[in-house]
Structures are given as structure tokens and as C-alpha cells.
Amino acid sequence: MTLTIPGFDHVRLPGADGVELAAAVGGSGSPVVLLHGFPQTHLMWRHVAERLAGEHTVICPDLRGYGASDKPAATGPEVYSKRTMAADVVALAAALGHERFALAGHDRGALVAFRAGLDHPETLTHLAILDVVPTLDMWDVLHGVRAAVGYHLFLMAQPPGLPETMITNSADAYFGSFLDTWAADPAALPEPVRAEYLRASAAAVPSIVADYRASAGIDVTHDQADRDAGSQLAMPVTVVQQDWGAQLGYDAADVWRAWAPDLDHRLTGAGHFMAEEAPDEIAGALRDLLLR
């Protein structure tokens, strides 16, 4: 049985290209869409969603290829491009009657949110990004032995076949390693939640790999085209990150400032799974953003 956010409705609605997304929807007020990261589902937002639901309609979808959402075959690079996944989110919100909404994303969901901000500036009122830099910049800052922290990015960038086989053959060990090493507070991922993430990820290996493979190809092409055109995010942006820049040798705030003129950049002492480890902090950052 799929775990979802207590007290929220669980629905299936159309995304782009005939794909259906599963989503948890609750609360009332101005809409806020929350996109999950890897190796997770919409369940990662449970604490933050409950905190925001008294003031906002909160929409937490599973990204295409993840959780209970459709997992189309990657017949071409565009199927799991962040452009297509962003179009899913816009279509999902429209199906719920929201032509404009605030959007927050964590990890993979943050890359989808970033692309949505560039492709749909008229649709997004506010944008929040948790613990990533844009795809183009991500590849630029991974150098030498320090790039080992992102080994999975290189593994899943390989041509179809070997990554899927390797991960499928050790799915719990592979996905579990990220849950274990990226959490500063393992208690934030109690066993039923951890088991749900492992179950959902093991059932979605080809589509998860396709999502990452897109970020070594078509997503870079899209980001580079926007950089060449001087495109920037038009809405207020909040970025909350661990201090990865200090470890990898770059200034994360400067990276984001180039894309987001109206930027509030924050560092957190929480681990990567900050929405679960520090929900009051993340809910507070989102509330501050929505007041800008």
C-alpha cells in the first residue's frame, strides 16, 4: 500500500503527453506545489505540507517516473527531460483549477522547478529550490576526486542497459545508501517511510535512471540555451542548501544569483533531506518567500 500524507486526498490527474500523475492534495488558499527528490516520493513533504495546509492549497505530486505516477518508456531523451516534467506540473495544477501557483522543489524536483521557472514564468508566482544547483552548473562544479560524492550522476548517465541492471540487482543497497548517508538525522526517516522509499524506487529503476540520464544530455542543452540567451528567473526565488560549495570549491550563492536576480539564499545545518529533518525551518522559508 502506497503511503501518502495523512488527511490529504490522493488523486490521479493528467500531466503532459497523456501521462498521469499521482498527487496528494490538501488545505485551502493560494496554491503551492511541492516536488520531491531522489530517492523519494511526495511523502517527503508530509511535515511541511501539513504546516502549510492551514493557509494554502498544497499539491504534492509524484514526478513522472516515480512513486505512483506513470512511468513511460524512455523512447527519446525528451520523455524525462526537465522541460517535459515541468510541463507535467503545469498541466496538473491546471487540472486542479490553478493557472498560477507557487512552486518548491527538492533535489530532482528542484531541477524540474527550475526548468518550470524558466519555461513558464507567467505561471509561477514564487520559486523555492532545496539543495541543488542547476544542471549545467552541477556538471561544472564537479571536479577531480571531490566529484566522487556525485558518483551516481555519472553511473546513471551511462547508455541504457548496464546502469539499470546494476541498480536492479542491488536496489535496496543502492537506494538505501543515499537515505543513510545523506541524512544528518536518520530518525527523520522512520522505518515505514524508509521502506516506502525503497519499495517505490525499486519499482521505478528504468524511469529513475532515464531521469538522471536526461540530466547528462538534453537538460544540459536546455540550460545552455537559456544561459546563452541571458534568461533569468523572473519571480522571487528562495534557495536553501547545505554548504556543498565549501566542500566542492564554489560559491553556491553566486551560482544562483546569476539565474535569480530576486534571490534569498540560505544555508541550513540540516542534512539533504531537510524537509523531513527540519520541517519548521523549511516551512518558515516557504512562508517568507510567499510574502515577497
Side-chain angles (χ1 to χ4, degrees):
M1 178 179 175
T2 299
L3 291 184
T4 190
I5 300 172
F8 277 45
D9 296 327
H10 202 250
V11 300
R12 290 186 66 83
L13 292 167
D17 304 330
V19 166
E20 285 194 348
L21 302 184
V25 182
S28 60
S30 61
V32 180
V33 179
L34 307 177
L35 305 180
H36 68 85
F38 162 93
Q40 298 168 288
T41 69
H42 75 278
L43 186 64
M44 63 150 283
W45 287 108
R46 60 198 180 279
H47 302 311
V48 172
E50 290 168 348
R51 283 160 171 77
L52 296 180
E55 311 148 37
H56 300 280
T57 299
V58 183
I59 304 161
C60 303
D62 288 334
L63 298 169
R64 75 160 56 196
Y66 290 79
S69 289
D70 285 353
K71 302 169 182 63
T75 52
E78 73 285 345
V79 175
Y80 286 94
S81 74
K82 303 307 140 324
R83 174 158 287 161
T84 298
M85 296 169 82
D88 281 339
V89 176
V90 172
L92 172 77
L96 289 167
H98 305 298
E99 299 300 326
R100 284 173 57 77
F101 56 90
L103 180 60
H106 172 254
D107 189 81
R108 306 306 293 171
L111 299 179
V112 176
F114 171 72
R115 176 47 51 192
L118 290 172
D119 286 359
H120 305 277
E122 73 290 346
T123 301
L124 269 58
T125 62
H126 302 79
L127 179 63
I129 300 288
L130 304 188
D131 221 29
V132 297
V133 292
T135 299
L136 183 64
D137 301 288
M138 173 190 74
W139 293 113
D140 285 345
V141 303
L142 291 174
H143 299 294
V145 295
R146 290 183 296 191
V149 69
Y151 82 93
H152 60 298
L153 303 171
F154 298 91
L155 171 62
M156 290 190 278
Q158 301 310 307
L162 184 61
E164 292 87 343
T165 299
M166 291 176 64
I167 295 168
T168 297
N169 288 344
S170 55
D172 281 1
Y174 179 72
F175 295 116
S177 70
F178 302 107
L179 297 174
D180 294 339
T181 60
W182 290 352
D185 178 13
L189 303 175
E191 185 52 37
V193 170
R194 188 179 188 280
E196 174 66 6
Y197 293 156
L198 292 180
R199 182 202 64 77
S201 296
V205 170
S207 50
I208 290 174
V209 174
D211 165 35
Y212 273 86
R213 187 175 288 122
S215 286
I218 193 169
D219 295 342
V220 173
T221 300
H222 292 159
D223 281 8
Q224 187 65 59
D226 276 304
R227 173 164 286 170
D228 292 345
S231 302
Q232 291 184 308
L233 297 164
M235 65 292 299
V237 176
T238 292
V239 175
V240 185
Q241 296 182 279
Q242 300 177 88
D243 198 3
W244 283 110
Q247 297 180 48
L248 295 176
Y250 68 97
D251 187 323
D254 276 354
V255 168
W256 275 110
R257 219 169 272 118
W259 291 103
D262 186 358
L263 175 68
D264 177 10
H265 187 272
R266 304 182 180 195
L267 296 178
T268 179
H272 179 64
F273 303 114
M274 55 191 66
E276 291 165 286
E277 297 182 55
D280 286 333
E281 178 184 354
I282 299 306
L286 295 180
R287 288 192 181 101
D288 290 346
L289 170 64
L290 294 169
L291 291 174
R292 284 163 54 196

